[in-house]
Amino acid sequence: MNLRTKKRIVLLALCALACAAIFLVPELFSGGMTEEPYAAFYAQAESGGIESASIEEGRISYSKKNSDGRFYTDNPDSPTLREFLLLHGVQVSSRRGTAEIASLVMDVVFYLFFFGIIVVAFRKFISPNTFRVVRKTGKKFGDVVGLDGLKKDMAQVMEIMRSPAAYAAKGIRMPRGILLEGAPGNGKTLFAKALAGEAKVSFIPAKATDFESMFMAIGPMKVKLLFRKARRNAPCIVFIDEFDGIGTRRNYSGSAIETENTRIVTALLNELDGFEPSDGILVLAATNSVQSLDEALIRPGRFDARVTVPFPDEDARLHLVEMYSRGKQLDASCRAQMLAARWRGFSCAKIESVLNRASLLAAQDGRDTVLLADVQKAEEELSSAR
């Protein structure tokens, strides 16, 4: 806490104390007053000798027409007193009592606390920083093993992103969205980052859990926030991972979860239809379950291409084994060519996990060299953990 903040806190505290003193202890600021019996006050009011009176909690302060100074007497809390004074020409005012002021202060504090919690919650769940803009992903196609055909297909998309107007003059529009489907761990996220790096455009990553909230209607608002940020940072790539988590078929069963999901899908439909290809925004969505997605969401015109990210072929597996075994000592029985042939159907992530686990098993036995037995045991452990 800096000095300026401390000074502000002290100043606010002093102001609060001064206000409390003015309201709660008015006699400190009203000067000396003379006490009189209530009967004398009543008789003077009846005879027209009272000029003004202030009805307070527990007492009545008043001034006389032919006398200087202020006087006070007990307040009997009579329901007819105010009417009596007004009928006898007395200027009547009221001052809140300490209990009433304290109740009012507590009410104000409660409402400030309540609305403060709401503001904090909304700032947490719908913060402008919910979706960060990555200017440079630090990834290129050279970091992606395999997928040569997909890289070639994306080359022209990158050119359109860089010069959308030139291609629009030829009647060619950029795809609004591309759906990446395939088993988990095969590099869909890495490929999206590499595409943004190759195209030299901003990258806005999101995942299904970013749109979930305990509050209704927060999800659709986050969808609007995502695409509003994309428009401000165009040209850019919006990458939505775990797309099947928010784009599932709409179900009008009436439950709260299904209603929220329907609203999110509807918001996505509106946003995908709301921007033009010339805006320079490309939506990449990754999913492991295309069958569960809403048909209206993935139709042509919204997602113009559906690309399958396959398991790495043997050449790609060989490259992956060589890359992930750097710094590791593999036994002659664990040649890279043999492992690449052995791991047919393994994802990129699984190859890395097996090699890492095999190295840990070797270290547990006090060895620096990874044996085939370590690899086999690592495979068994990962298979049983599924």
Side-chain angles (χ1 to χ4, degrees):
M1 186 182 297
N2 56 35
L3 183 60
R4 180 176 295 180
T5 304
K6 291 181 179 179
K7 288 183 177 179
R8 288 178 178 176
I9 293 175
V10 171
L11 182 61
L12 288 174
L14 291 175
C15 290
L17 289 174
C19 292
I22 291 173
F23 282 106
L24 301 178
V25 197
E27 58 271 16
L28 296 177
F29 302 90
S30 57
M33 290 192 292
T34 304
E35 182 179 8
E36 290 188 342
Y38 178 76
F41 163 75
Y42 190 91
Q44 293 176 78
E46 192 172 29
S47 63
I50 303 298
E51 183 177 12
S52 64
S54 175
I55 301 175
E56 305 166 12
E57 182 183 15
R59 73 175 188 179
I60 303 171
S61 61
Y62 56 94
S63 61
K64 302 177 182 179
K65 292 182 178 179
N66 300 319
S67 177
D68 295 332
R70 296 282 295 178
F71 303 85
Y72 72 96
T73 189
D74 293 330
N75 183 0
D77 292 325
S78 170
T80 61
L81 176 61
R82 186 181 184 87
E83 180 183 11
F84 167 76
L85 294 175
L86 290 172
L87 288 174
H88 288 83
V90 180
Q91 300 176 11
V92 181
S93 61
S94 301
R95 184 186 290 272
R96 296 181 185 271
T98 55
E100 188 177 359
I101 293 174
S103 176
L104 179 63
V105 170
M106 292 302 296
D107 288 343
V108 171
V109 170
F110 171 77
Y111 284 114
L112 286 176
F113 180 73
F114 178 74
F115 286 110
I117 291 177
I118 293 178
V119 169
V120 170
F122 270 83
R123 284 183 63 85
K124 177 177 176 63
F125 290 110
I126 319 180
S127 170
N129 299 320
T130 299
F131 304 104
R132 60 190 179 90
V133 180
V134 180
R135 301 298 178 186
K136 294 181 180 180
T137 62
K139 301 294 181 182
K140 295 292 183 70
F141 279 161
D143 299 307
V144 181
V145 178
L147 306 179
D148 295 330
L150 185 55
K151 294 174 185 177
K152 185 177 179 181
D153 293 338
M154 292 296 105
Q156 189 174 30
V157 174
M158 292 187 294
E159 289 296 328
I160 300 175
M161 288 190 70
R162 295 190 190 102
S163 308
Y167 280 87
K170 301 177 184 179
I172 302 174
R173 68 172 178 84
M174 187 186 76
R176 282 194 177 93
I178 297 176
L179 192 64
L180 302 177
E181 59 175 318
N186 274 339
K188 294 186 289 292
T189 302
L190 178 61
F191 178 80
K193 292 180 179 180
L195 179 60
E198 289 285 345
K200 298 180 181 179
V201 297
S202 298
F203 181 72
I204 306 179
K207 54 186 180 298
T209 52
D210 291 334
F211 301 92
E212 296 175 355
S213 172
M214 67 177 68
F215 298 107
M216 292 291 288
I218 295 295
M221 294 178 69
K222 286 188 175 181
V223 171
K224 295 178 182 178
L225 173 64
L226 172 63
F227 282 91
R228 192 182 306 127
K229 182 168 287 190
R231 290 185 180 91
R232 290 199 303 265
N233 293 277
C236 69
I237 291 177
V238 175
F239 176 67
I240 305 176
D241 200 6
E242 305 162 2
F243 194 52
D244 46 284
I246 58 171
T248 52
R249 288 189 178 92
R250 285 167 287 180
N251 188 337
Y252 299 94
S253 63
S255 67
I257 295 176
E258 295 297 343
T259 300
E260 181 72 355
N261 177 73
T262 298
R263 289 174 176 171
I264 291 176
V265 173
T266 303
L268 283 168
L269 294 174
N270 293 336
E271 293 298 332
L272 288 171
D273 287 339
F275 69 84
E276 298 297 326
S278 57
D279 291 343
I281 301 173
L282 176 65
V283 180
L284 289 180
T287 180
N288 306 324
S289 178
V290 177
Q291 297 78 11
S292 64
L293 294 173
D294 192 277
E295 294 180 357
L297 188 60
I298 58 175
R299 69 161 175 80
R302 293 191 177 109
F303 284 89
D304 297 296
R306 183 182 298 181
V307 178
T308 300
V309 180
F311 287 104
D313 57 22
E314 189 164 350
D315 289 339
R317 293 197 299 274
L318 177 59
H319 192 163
L320 288 167
V321 171
E322 292 173 346
M323 180 173 66
Y324 292 137
S325 61
R326 288 171 190 163
K328 300 178 176 67
Q329 296 183 23
L330 300 183
D331 186 69
S333 60
C334 300
R335 291 180 298 106
Q337 292 82 356
M338 186 277 293
L339 293 177
R342 180 187 179 89
W343 289 338
R344 184 184 303 274
F346 277 33
S347 68
C348 306
K350 188 171 182 180
I351 291 173
E352 190 276 335
S353 293
V354 170
L355 285 171
N356 185 67
R357 181 57 183 163
S359 300
L360 288 174
L361 292 172
Q364 288 175 6
D365 291 340
R367 290 180 282 105
D368 294 330
T369 303
V370 178
L371 304 177
L372 182 59
D374 299 321
V375 172
Q376 292 172 339
K377 187 174 182 181
E379 292 172 354
E380 294 171 1
E381 288 183 359
L382 288 174
S383 297
S384 61
R386 294 177 59 183

